[in-house]
Amino acid sequence: MNEQHTVPQAGRRLIGLYPARYRELYGEDIAATFAEATEGLTGRALLRERLDLASHALRLRLRIASTDPAGRILAGAAPIALALGVGESLYDQAWYVEDVIRAVSRVATRPALAAGTLGAYAALVVPWIVALLCAAAGRWKPARRAAVLGLLAETAFWELILGHTWQMYGEFARIALLAALVLLAPADLVDTGRRGRWEVTGLAIGAGLPLAALAASDATVLGVFWQSVPALLPIWAFAVAAALLLAHLSARRPDLFRAAGIALGTVPWLLEQLPRRVPTVWAATAFVVLIGGAVALGGIIRLLRRAIDTEPAEPA
């Protein structure tokens, strides 16, 4: 008897998402496993099993599964994108906190406005803090869910509060690409070991807090008020990511797929200033100089190390 006939119609449709060749080889095993895993389940538990099955099928069809090079690159990109997203949220604290302080001071006279401001602050900030804490603890799946929730809150904020104007296209593009990187990465390949946790935490703090300090102090950079440079946030994101990329490429045995993922994880911030021409040019130039420079310097270090390792020893 074909095991697949024991699977409900919804499950059979999900199994149909697998590539034909894979389904031909493993379809009955997948059907039997799915039927056993979902037996007696209802509601959220059943939905979770169906989403896991559909996710695995689509990863294989898109060739971004754990065994594919693209999957390994995405696994390197996702924590970088999440960390930089947290960093941007930390930077935004300089503006949010001012709004919150003003709202609290008006609780007595305008309670509805104060409540709305505090609610918006919580929606925009709390998911990213949770994402950072989960990532720092090595819990990638809840970190991913929290980050997506934060991105949805950002989208609602830009759309409902600021309006959908041509100036927001770059912000929406950044949010969409960042969400795609975080969601598409194979969870089992994301580095949740001690080194990976430290990297995510350090990158998030390094990307966000220095600019937040500048914003809070109204400081200048090279004598220029830093807010007059709209592309400073992505430029700084590229700088901290480039330092991490160089550290990876300088290792004795670098993981080139993960290194490529680090570079890919910064790409959403290339889109942030679209369609404003001058800031976009600045950001693109910084990406080429910083990320490209890290790749070039890492390659030079590898060549030098290889030359030193292969140099014959002098005779005694």
Side-chain angles (χ1 to χ4, degrees):
M1 178 179 175
N2 191 332
E3 297 284 354
Q4 189 163 336
H5 291 306
T6 65
V7 180
Q9 184 177 7
R12 292 199 300 271
R13 289 175 178 172
L14 294 176
I15 293 172
L17 296 174
Y18 280 93
R21 179 59 178 168
Y22 192 90
R23 193 166 62 247
E24 179 182 340
L25 293 174
Y26 306 108
E28 292 188 4
D29 292 335
I30 295 171
T33 302
F34 181 72
E36 181 179 351
T38 57
E39 185 176 2
L41 295 182
T42 58
R44 293 179 60 183
L46 179 60
L47 177 61
R48 188 180 302 112
E49 291 293 337
R50 288 176 175 175
L51 289 175
D52 287 344
L53 182 67
S55 173
H56 185 239
L58 290 174
R59 290 183 194 284
L60 289 175
R61 186 171 287 276
L62 296 173
R63 298 189 178 184
I64 55 173
S66 302
T67 55
D68 296 310
R72 295 176 62 184
I73 293 173
L74 284 171
I80 303 304
L82 183 143
L84 293 178
V86 173
E88 180 152 338
S89 175
L90 293 176
Y91 152 75
D92 288 337
Q93 298 307 300
W95 318 113
Y96 296 157
V97 169
E98 290 182 6
D99 292 338
V100 168
I101 292 173
R102 283 197 295 268
V104 170
S105 67
R106 299 174 182 173
V107 168
T109 57
R110 306 186 68 179
L113 176 62
T117 301
L118 291 172
Y121 174 79
L124 290 168
V125 173
V126 171
W128 287 111
I129 300 301
V130 172
L132 178 59
L133 292 176
C134 290
R139 303 288 303 279
W140 173 249
K141 287 186 177 180
R144 178 178 63 186
R145 288 194 289 268
V148 171
L149 183 60
L151 291 170
L152 290 174
E154 283 188 39
T155 303
F157 175 79
W158 290 117
E159 181 69 33
L160 299 178
I161 305 300
L162 300 182
H164 188 82
T165 66
W166 68 275
Q167 293 175 318
M168 295 294 105
Y169 291 163
E171 190 65 41
F172 290 137
R174 178 190 68 85
I175 289 172
L177 182 54
L178 199 163
L181 292 177
V182 169
L183 287 173
L184 292 177
D188 57 322
L189 281 187
V190 173
D191 185 3
T192 56
R194 179 178 296 179
R195 178 176 178 177
R197 298 198 301 268
W198 277 107
E199 285 180 354
V200 169
T201 306
L203 191 63
I205 293 174
L209 288 188
L211 292 186
L214 281 175
S217 62
D218 290 338
T220 60
V221 178
L222 299 178
V224 178
F225 188 53
W226 72 274
Q227 291 182 40
S228 64
V229 184
L232 182 60
L233 181 61
I235 290 172
W236 182 248
F238 299 149
V240 293
L244 179 61
L245 177 58
L246 180 59
H248 270 265
L249 291 174
S250 301
R252 188 164 293 275
R253 292 183 179 179
D255 184 339
L256 297 183
F257 289 113
R258 193 169 297 279
I262 293 173
L264 177 61
T266 66
V267 170
W269 279 264
L270 267 176
L271 309 176
E272 191 168 29
Q273 299 301 328
L274 293 175
R276 293 173 289 182
R277 186 176 62 85
V278 174
T280 301
V281 170
W282 288 344
T285 302
F287 180 87
V288 172
V289 171
L290 294 169
I291 301 298
V295 172
L297 186 55
I300 292 172
I301 292 173
R302 289 188 64 198
L303 290 175
L304 291 174
R305 178 171 286 145
R306 187 178 302 172
I308 293 171
D309 291 342
T310 59
E311 185 175 334
E314 295 183 5

